[in-house]
């Protein structure tokens, strides 16, 4: 229930950012802060960019990537154009780590990790954590799809699917 609440709150924050035309570009555990009230805050918008004008749609220069390699979307690792689905991928990596106890990809170098984001599928969360609801595991893997079009389009879609889980104790 706690994990689902964290995912719900982070998804709501990303939905709000996307509504305002903001891509965070550095979603990771260190940037999700839990207040003593239980309210989640998304921190460190230092890499965030507005996407509302054509000039701002290209969020990185060619050959330049920004963000943390452990949590970087495939398109971010390639220095491609980003939209809110890139943040959804990074949230998926964060959720995977929260539920599995480790990130889906690791490597000896940042480049090695980035290559895994591009080419390797994450181990099945259902196999690692058979105690979790299978639908929750499938949601995390949907966030981790390599192709942005195959991910959730926004945080509200994640919240919609979380409601279907009916996890006891989750608000």
């Amino acid at each position: 229930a706690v994990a689902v609440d964290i995912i719900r709150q982070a998804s709501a924050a990303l939905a709000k950012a996307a509504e305002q035309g903001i891509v965070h570009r550095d979603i990771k555990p260190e940037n999700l802060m839990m207040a003593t009230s239980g309210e989640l805050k998304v921190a460190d918008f230092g890499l965030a960019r507005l996407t509302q004008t054509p000039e701002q749609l290209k969020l990185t220069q060619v050959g330049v990537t920004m963000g943390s390699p452990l949590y970087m979307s495939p398109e971010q690792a390639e220095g491609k154009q980003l939209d809110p689905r890139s943040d959804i991928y990074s949230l998926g990596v964060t959720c995977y780590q929260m539920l599995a106890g480790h990130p889906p990809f690791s490597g000896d170098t940042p480049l090695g990790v980035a290559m895994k984001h591009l080419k390797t599928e994450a181990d099945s969360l259902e196999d690692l954590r058979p105690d979790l609801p299978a639908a929750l595991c499938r949601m995390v893997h949907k966030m981790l799809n390599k192709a942005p079009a195959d991910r959730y389009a926004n945080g509200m879609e994640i919240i919609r699917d979380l409601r279907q889980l009916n996890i006891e104790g989750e608000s």
Side-chain angles (χ1 to χ4, degrees), residues 7-153:
I7 297 167
R8 180 187 56 77
Q9 290 189 64
S11 297
L14 291 181
K16 187 66 171 173
E19 284 175 13
Q20 302 302 310
I22 298 170
V23 177
H24 188 282
R25 301 196 303 173
D26 200 22
I27 296 296
K28 60 185 178 182
E30 295 87 349
N31 288 338
L32 301 178
M33 307 291 180
M34 187 67 71
T36 55
S37 65
E39 185 177 16
L40 184 103
K41 304 285 186 183
V42 177
D44 193 359
F45 279 78
L47 295 180
R49 292 292 178 265
L50 293 173
T51 61
Q52 295 175 334
T53 66
E55 297 81 37
Q56 293 169 323
L57 287 175
K58 182 91 172 134
L59 294 178
T60 58
Q61 297 172 351
V62 175
V64 175
T65 58
M66 296 180 172
S68 302
L70 275 176
Y71 305 95
M72 198 175 277
S73 69
E75 61 273 20
Q76 193 172 4
E78 290 185 306
K80 291 184 175 178
Q81 181 174 312
L82 305 181
D83 65 26
R85 296 171 298 184
S86 180
D87 286 344
I88 298 295
Y89 182 92
S90 299
L91 178 61
V93 175
T94 300
C95 293
Y96 188 102
Q97 180 175 348
M98 175 174 57
L99 297 169
H102 57 80
F105 308 112
S106 61
D108 295 332
T109 66
L111 179 59
V113 174
M115 290 307 295
K116 288 184 179 179
H117 282 291
L118 289 165
K119 309 252 183 226
T120 306
E121 294 299 324
D123 290 340
S124 168
L125 196 51
E126 286 184 66
D127 291 344
L128 293 170
R129 292 289 311 274
D131 58 311
L132 293 175
L136 177 61
C137 296
R138 286 190 298 273
M139 288 179 64
V140 172
H141 282 281
K142 182 173 181 174
M143 290 183 237
L144 290 172
N145 273 317
K146 302 297 181 197
D150 294 335
R151 294 181 209 138
Y152 289 99

